[in-house]
């Protein structure tokens, strides 16, 4: 596999800027992307010339440019991730008997791009196009747990970044780190009533060829269904297997092994 450091750094910067709610200063980009300040400065200037980044001189901040928007719009039109995931999610619903969904990280939120409803089950809040706080959702936690610590820290710089829904869930970076550490040890993320009282979710991350999380796969089920550890573990195993299947498809591992 070829390795182009400059391209890797540019994509790392783009990925970081795409997670931010507002334009950010140079020093923050440098820290989050683990780049020397001078390297980040010259890289950003090149990306400005190509239209992927804009500089706001009065604010001393950098944000995404029109070219980045065009790339994002192209993704929306093609929906490759949604196309790859639709059948595996439908099979996950058949296997578990509960609703499943696919979400991607958008700033500090997760954006739901697929929802597969189980027959006879009521609709969930995780409808397509809905955004929810990443730190409260199983999908978000699965994605955040796979991100570098520096990127999580940049996403949640202070307590004001932690939105509350029902008085549950982490309200500080240290509390979130504890949740994410448990997620990594467990191998999947969970949430219990933090999005919708009475409902629980389990999720696992979908990774690209660089082991970067591109989405989270989750199943949501009634709280009482999770009282049986065997049931909860079976759902978690099914979710994890589906995420691994999508990881192979997204990363191209399956194609390269043929």
């Amino acid at each position: 596999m070829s390795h182009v450091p400059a391209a890797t750094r540019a994509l790392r910067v783009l990925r970081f800027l795409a997670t931010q709610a507002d334009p950010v200063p140079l020093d923050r980009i440098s820290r989050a992307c683990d780049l020397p300040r001078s390297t980040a400065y010259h890289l950003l200037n090149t990306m400005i010339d190509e239209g992927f980044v804009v500089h706001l001189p009065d604010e001393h901040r950098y944000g995404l440019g029109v070219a980045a928007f065009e790339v994002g719009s192209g993704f929306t039109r093609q929906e490759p991730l949604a196309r790859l995931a639709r059948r595996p999610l439908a099979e996950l619903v058949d296997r578990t008997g509960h609703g499943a969904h696919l979400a991607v990280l958008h700033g500090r939120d997760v954006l739901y791009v697929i929802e597969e409803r189980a027959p006879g089950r009521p609709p969930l809040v995780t409808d397509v196009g809905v955004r929810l706080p990443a730190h409260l959702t199983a999908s978000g936690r699965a994605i955040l747990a796979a991100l570098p610590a520096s990127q999580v820290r940049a996403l949640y710089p202070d307590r004001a970044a932690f939105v509350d829904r029902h008085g549950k869930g982490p309200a500080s970076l240290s509390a979130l780190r504890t949740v994410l550490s448990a997620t990594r040890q467990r191998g999947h993320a969970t949430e219990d009533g933090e999005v919708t009282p009475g409902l629980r979710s389990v999720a696992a991350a979908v990774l690209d060829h660089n082991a970067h999380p591109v989405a989270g796969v989750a199943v949501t089920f009634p709280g009482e269904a999770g009282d049986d550890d065997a049931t909860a573990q079976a759902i978690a195993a099914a979710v994890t297997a589906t995420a691994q299947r999508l990881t192979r498809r997204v990363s191209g591992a399956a194609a390269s092994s043929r």
Side-chain angles (χ1 to χ4, degrees):
M1 181 180 295
S2 62
H3 182 64
V4 185
T8 300
R9 292 167 183 161
L11 292 173
R12 193 185 306 164
V13 170
L14 276 178
R15 184 178 291 136
F16 171 70
L17 290 177
T19 66
Q20 303 305 297
D22 298 294
V24 294
L26 174 62
D27 286 344
R28 189 167 166 190
I29 296 171
S30 176
R31 290 194 304 271
C33 298
D34 194 24
L35 295 171
R37 193 177 190 277
S38 60
T39 299
Y41 175 77
H42 292 297
L43 187 61
L44 286 166
N45 280 334
T46 299
M47 297 169 75
I48 289 170
D49 291 342
E50 297 296 328
F52 284 93
V53 171
V54 293
H55 181 219
L56 306 176
D58 293 341
E59 301 178 31
H60 304 289
R61 291 171 181 261
Y62 296 84
L64 290 177
V66 173
F69 172 78
E70 292 170 346
V71 171
S73 298
F75 175 85
T76 301
R77 288 192 300 271
Q78 294 182 12
E79 296 184 314
L81 185 59
R83 288 171 182 260
L84 288 173
R86 197 167 299 281
R87 179 174 293 179
L89 254 67
E91 294 173 358
L92 179 60
V93 171
D94 291 340
R95 182 174 175 183
T96 63
H98 298 286
H101 51 258
L102 184 82
V104 298
L105 192 66
H106 192 279
R108 288 191 289 267
D109 293 336
V110 285
L111 172 66
Y112 292 91
V113 294
I114 298 180
E115 183 191 16
E116 288 288 339
R117 297 182 185 178
R121 298 287 184 179
L124 302 173
V125 69
T126 53
D127 201 358
V128 174
V130 168
R131 297 184 187 186
L132 291 173
H135 68 286
L136 297 180
T137 68
S139 297
R141 291 172 180 176
I143 296 171
L144 293 172
L147 287 176
S150 59
Q151 192 165 345
V152 175
R153 184 172 61 250
L155 284 170
Y156 297 91
D158 50 44
R159 285 181 175 269
F162 292 87
V163 178
D164 176 76
R165 278 177 65 89
H166 301 290
K168 301 177 66 177
S172 67
L173 181 58
S174 61
L176 177 60
R177 283 173 172 161
T178 299
V179 171
L180 300 184
S181 177
T183 296
R184 286 188 288 269
Q185 293 176 2
R186 193 188 304 114
H188 62 268
T190 66
E191 69 86 13
D192 186 355
E194 291 155 89
V195 175
T196 303
L199 295 178
R200 300 175 66 180
S201 296
V202 296
V206 178
L207 308 178
D208 65 14
H209 66 286
N210 287 318
H212 181 84
V214 294
V217 173
V219 165
T220 299
F221 51 97
E224 58 269 20
D227 293 336
D228 178 358
D229 286 344
T231 299
Q233 289 301 316
I235 292 174
V239 168
T240 301
T242 300
Q244 291 172 344
R245 177 182 173 187
L246 282 173
T247 291
R248 290 191 295 270
R249 299 187 72 181
V250 169
S251 66
S256 62
S257 66
R258 287 198 291 268

